Amino acid sequence: MSSDFETYEQDFGTLTAELTSKIGKIPKISGDEKKHLVVNVEKQMEEARELLEQMDLEVRDIPPQSRGMYSNRMRSYKQEMDKLETDFKRSRIAYSDEVRNELLGDDGNSSESQRAHLLDNTEKLERSSRRLEAGYQIAVETEQVGQEILENLSHDREKIQRARERLRETDANLGKSSRILTGMLRRIIQNRILLFVLGAVILFTIILAIYFSVRRH
């Protein structure tokens, strides 16, 4: 299972390196070349998100005692992905003539206040996105903690069931021992009664023998 995670991890590292290089080129080009590059980056960004999801699923399947290291790596990769998305948005909004003209109009002398307002709104959206991502991360971690608790409860239940089975076996063995001891005690009592009867018969026989012997004389 960890080999699958490492494979996704290598693919993610290669993909993010390509994205970093391409995002850095966006402000330096224009026209159709820029449009094609932007489309390509968007596709690769989606691929990177899918890899992150696959890695996250793999981490959830890792035993709790080994999950901590992988969870820390996942947090680092998600932060790297957030940074790439932020850089991509800035490269398109802050430097793209096409996007700026579409939002502010074709007038090359558009006011700096409008541009500042647009960038401010972009920053607010990015902050909101980061807060949502942080909330999602907390939810994922909470789910992982819940899974660990459920697993621990499952282990405890199995231990309790095994203890109950041992108690049943012990009770069964005690029942057998009790029956054996009762039988032995019954036989001991019977033997003692027989000995008492035999002793009484022997004593009576001796008394009769003495009696008849005395009468003859």
Side-chain angles (χ1 to χ4, degrees), residues 133-168:
E133 181 64 28
Y136 171 75
Q137 183 63 34
I138 292 172
V140 170
E141 292 176 356
T142 302
E143 181 182 358
Q144 292 175 351
V145 172
Q147 288 179 343
E148 292 174 4
I149 292 174
L150 289 175
E151 290 173 359
N152 292 333
L153 288 174
S154 177
H155 293 325
D156 292 340
R157 183 177 64 183
E158 291 175 359
K159 291 179 181 178
I160 292 172
Q161 288 176 344
R162 287 195 294 269
R164 286 179 177 174
E165 290 174 358
R166 286 195 292 269
L167 283 174
R168 292 193 190 98

Coordinates of all heavy atoms in Angstrom, one line a residue, residues 133-168:
E133 N -9.9 25.5 3.0 CA -8.9 24.4 2.9 C -8.5 24.0 4.3 O -8.4 22.8 4.6 CB -7.7 24.8 2.1 CG -6.7 23.7 2.0 CD -7.2 22.5 1.2 OE1 -8.1 22.6 0.4 OE2 -6.7 21.4 1.5
A134 N -8.3 25.0 5.2 CA -8.0 24.6 6.6 C -9.1 23.9 7.3 O -8.9 22.9 8.0 CB -7.6 25.9 7.4
G135 N -10.4 24.4 7.0 CA -11.5 23.7 7.6 C -11.6 22.3 7.1 O -11.9 21.3 7.8
Y136 N -11.4 22.1 5.8 CA -11.4 20.7 5.2 C -10.3 19.8 5.8 O -10.6 18.7 6.2 CB -11.2 20.8 3.7 CG -11.0 19.5 3.0 CD1 -12.1 18.6 2.8 CD2 -9.7 19.0 2.6 CE1 -11.9 17.4 2.2 CE2 -9.6 17.8 2.0 CZ -10.6 17.0 1.8 OH -10.5 15.8 1.2
Q137 N -9.1 20.4 6.1 CA -8.0 19.6 6.7 C -8.4 19.2 8.1 O -8.2 18.1 8.5 CB -6.8 20.5 6.7 CG -5.5 19.7 7.2 CD -5.2 18.5 6.4 OE1 -5.3 18.6 5.2 NE2 -4.7 17.5 7.0
I138 N -9.0 20.1 8.8 CA -9.5 19.8 10.2 C -10.5 18.7 10.2 O -10.5 17.8 11.0 CB -10.0 21.1 10.9 CG1 -8.9 22.1 11.1 CG2 -10.7 20.7 12.2 CD1 -9.4 23.4 11.7
A139 N -11.4 18.8 9.2 CA -12.5 17.7 9.1 C -11.8 16.4 8.8 O -12.2 15.4 9.3 CB -13.5 18.1 8.0
V140 N -10.8 16.4 7.9 CA -10.1 15.1 7.5 C -9.4 14.6 8.7 O -9.5 13.4 9.0 CB -9.1 15.4 6.3 CG1 -8.3 14.1 6.1 CG2 -9.9 15.7 5.1
E141 N -8.7 15.4 9.5 CA -8.0 15.0 10.6 C -9.0 14.5 11.7 O -8.7 13.5 12.4 CB -7.1 16.1 11.2 CG -6.0 16.5 10.3 CD -5.2 17.7 10.8 OE1 -5.6 18.2 11.9 OE2 -4.2 18.0 10.2
T142 N -10.1 15.1 11.8 CA -11.1 14.7 12.8 C -11.6 13.3 12.4 O -11.8 12.4 13.2 CB -12.3 15.7 12.9 OG1 -11.8 17.0 13.2 CG2 -13.3 15.2 13.9
E143 N -11.8 13.1 11.1 CA -12.3 11.8 10.6 C -11.3 10.8 10.9 O -11.6 9.6 11.3 CB -12.6 11.9 9.1 CG -13.1 10.6 8.5 CD -13.3 10.7 7.0 OE1 -13.1 11.8 6.4 OE2 -13.7 9.7 6.4
Q144 N -10.0 11.1 10.7 CA -8.9 10.1 11.0 C -8.9 9.7 12.4 O -8.8 8.6 12.8 CB -7.6 10.7 10.5 CG -7.4 10.8 9.0 CD -6.1 11.5 8.6 OE1 -5.4 12.0 9.5 NE2 -5.8 11.6 7.3
V145 N -9.0 10.8 13.3 CA -9.1 10.5 14.7 C -10.3 9.6 15.1 O -10.2 8.6 15.9 CB -9.1 11.8 15.5 CG1 -9.4 11.5 17.0 CG2 -7.9 12.6 15.4
G146 N -11.4 9.9 14.4 CA -12.6 9.1 14.7 C -12.4 7.6 14.2 O -12.8 6.7 14.9
Q147 N -11.7 7.5 13.1 CA -11.4 6.1 12.6 C -10.5 5.4 13.6 O -10.7 4.2 13.8 CB -10.8 6.2 11.2 CG -11.8 6.6 10.1 CD -11.1 6.7 8.8 OE1 -9.9 6.7 8.7 NE2 -11.9 6.6 7.7
E148 N -9.5 6.1 14.1 CA -8.6 5.5 15.0 C -9.3 5.0 16.3 O -9.1 4.0 16.9 CB -7.5 6.4 15.4 CG -6.5 6.7 14.2 CD -5.5 7.8 14.6 OE1 -5.5 8.2 15.7 OE2 -4.7 8.2 13.7
I149 N -10.3 5.9 16.8 CA -11.0 5.6 18.0 C -11.9 4.3 17.7 O -12.0 3.4 18.6 CB -11.9 6.8 18.4 CG1 -11.0 7.9 18.9 CG2 -12.9 6.4 19.5 CD1 -11.8 9.2 19.2
L150 N -12.5 4.3 16.5 CA -13.4 3.2 16.2 C -12.5 1.9 16.1 O -13.0 0.8 16.5 CB -14.1 3.4 14.9 CG -15.2 4.5 14.9 CD1 -15.7 4.7 13.5 CD2 -16.3 4.0 15.8
E151 N -11.3 2.0 15.5 CA -10.5 0.8 15.5 C -10.1 0.4 16.8 O -10.0 -0.9 17.1 CB -9.2 1.2 14.6 CG -9.5 1.3 13.1 CD -8.3 1.8 12.4 OE1 -7.3 2.0 13.0 OE2 -8.4 2.0 11.1
N152 N -9.7 1.3 17.7 CA -9.4 0.9 19.1 C -10.5 0.3 19.8 O -10.4 -0.7 20.5 CB -8.9 2.2 19.9 CG -7.6 2.7 19.4 OD1 -6.8 2.0 18.8 ND2 -7.3 4.0 19.5
L153 N -11.7 0.9 19.6 CA -12.9 0.3 20.2 C -13.2 -1.2 19.7 O -13.6 -2.1 20.4 CB -14.2 1.1 20.0 CG -14.2 2.5 20.7 CD1 -15.4 3.3 20.2 CD2 -14.3 2.2 22.2
S154 N -12.9 -1.3 18.4 CA -13.1 -2.7 17.8 C -12.1 -3.6 18.4 O -12.5 -4.8 18.7 CB -12.9 -2.6 16.3 OG -13.0 -3.9 15.7
H155 N -10.8 -3.2 18.6 CA -9.8 -4.1 19.2 C -10.3 -4.4 20.7 O -10.1 -5.6 21.1 CB -8.5 -3.4 19.2 CG -7.9 -3.2 17.9 ND1 -8.1 -4.2 16.8 CD2 -7.1 -2.3 17.3 CE1 -7.5 -3.8 15.7 NE2 -6.9 -2.6 16.0
D156 N -10.7 -3.4 21.4 CA -11.2 -3.6 22.8 C -12.4 -4.6 22.8 O -12.4 -5.5 23.7 CB -11.6 -2.3 23.4 CG -10.4 -1.4 23.6 OD1 -9.2 -1.9 23.6 OD2 -10.6 -0.2 23.8
R157 N -13.3 -4.4 21.9 CA -14.4 -5.4 21.8 C -14.0 -6.8 21.6 O -14.5 -7.7 22.2 CB -15.4 -4.9 20.7 CG -16.7 -5.8 20.7 CD -17.6 -5.3 19.6 NE -17.0 -5.4 18.3 CZ -17.6 -5.0 17.2 NH1 -18.8 -4.4 17.3 NH2 -17.0 -5.1 16.0
E158 N -13.0 -7.0 20.7 CA -12.5 -8.3 20.4 C -11.8 -8.9 21.7 O -12.0 -10.1 22.0 CB -11.4 -8.3 19.3 CG -12.1 -7.9 17.9 CD -11.0 -7.8 16.8 OE1 -9.8 -7.9 17.2 OE2 -11.4 -7.6 15.7
K159 N -11.1 -8.0 22.4 CA -10.5 -8.5 23.7 C -11.5 -8.9 24.7 O -11.4 -9.9 25.3 CB -9.6 -7.4 24.2 CG -8.3 -7.1 23.4 CD -7.5 -6.0 24.1 CE -6.3 -5.6 23.2 NZ -5.5 -4.5 23.8
I160 N -12.6 -8.1 24.8 CA -13.7 -8.4 25.7 C -14.3 -9.8 25.3 O -14.7 -10.6 26.2 CB -14.7 -7.3 25.8 CG1 -14.1 -6.1 26.4 CG2 -15.9 -7.7 26.6 CD1 -14.9 -4.8 26.4
Q161 N -14.6 -9.9 24.0 CA -15.2 -11.2 23.5 C -14.3 -12.4 23.8 O -14.8 -13.4 24.3 CB -15.5 -11.1 22.1 CG -16.6 -10.1 21.7 CD -16.8 -10.0 20.2 OE1 -15.9 -10.4 19.4 NE2 -18.0 -9.5 19.8
R162 N -13.0 -12.2 23.6 CA -12.1 -13.3 23.9 C -12.1 -13.6 25.4 O -12.1 -14.8 25.9 CB -10.7 -13.0 23.5 CG -10.5 -13.1 22.0 CD -9.0 -13.1 21.6 NE -8.4 -11.9 21.9 CZ -8.2 -10.8 21.1 NH1 -8.7 -10.9 19.9 NH2 -7.6 -9.7 21.5
A163 N -12.1 -12.5 26.3 CA -12.2 -12.8 27.7 C -13.5 -13.5 28.1 O -13.5 -14.4 29.0 CB -12.1 -11.4 28.4
R164 N -14.6 -13.1 27.5 CA -15.9 -13.8 27.8 C -15.8 -15.3 27.4 O -16.3 -16.1 28.1 CB -17.0 -13.1 27.0 CG -17.4 -11.8 27.6 CD -18.5 -11.1 26.8 NE -18.9 -9.9 27.4 CZ -19.8 -9.0 26.8 NH1 -20.4 -9.4 25.7 NH2 -20.2 -7.9 27.4
E165 N -15.2 -15.5 26.2 CA -15.1 -16.9 25.8 C -14.2 -17.7 26.8 O -14.5 -18.9 27.2 CB -14.4 -17.0 24.4 CG -15.4 -16.5 23.3 CD -14.7 -16.4 22.0 OE1 -13.5 -16.8 21.9 OE2 -15.3 -16.1 21.0
R166 N -13.1 -17.1 27.3 CA -12.3 -17.8 28.3 C -13.0 -18.0 29.6 O -12.9 -19.0 30.3 CB -11.0 -17.0 28.6 CG -10.0 -17.0 27.4 CD -8.6 -16.5 27.9 NE -8.7 -15.1 28.2 CZ -8.4 -14.2 27.2 NH1 -8.0 -14.6 26.0 NH2 -8.4 -12.9 27.6
L167 N -13.9 -17.0 30.0 CA -14.7 -17.2 31.2 C -15.7 -18.3 31.0 O -15.9 -19.1 31.9 CB -15.5 -15.9 31.5 CG -14.6 -14.8 32.1 CD1 -15.5 -13.5 32.2 CD2 -14.1 -15.2 33.5
R168 N -16.3 -18.4 29.8 CA -17.2 -19.5 29.6 C -16.5 -20.9 29.7 O -17.0 -21.8 30.2 CB -17.9 -19.4 28.2 CG -18.8 -18.2 28.0 CD -19.6 -18.3 26.8 NE -20.4 -17.1 26.5 CZ -20.0 -16.1 25.7 NH1 -18.8 -16.2 25.0 NH2 -20.7 -15.0 25.5

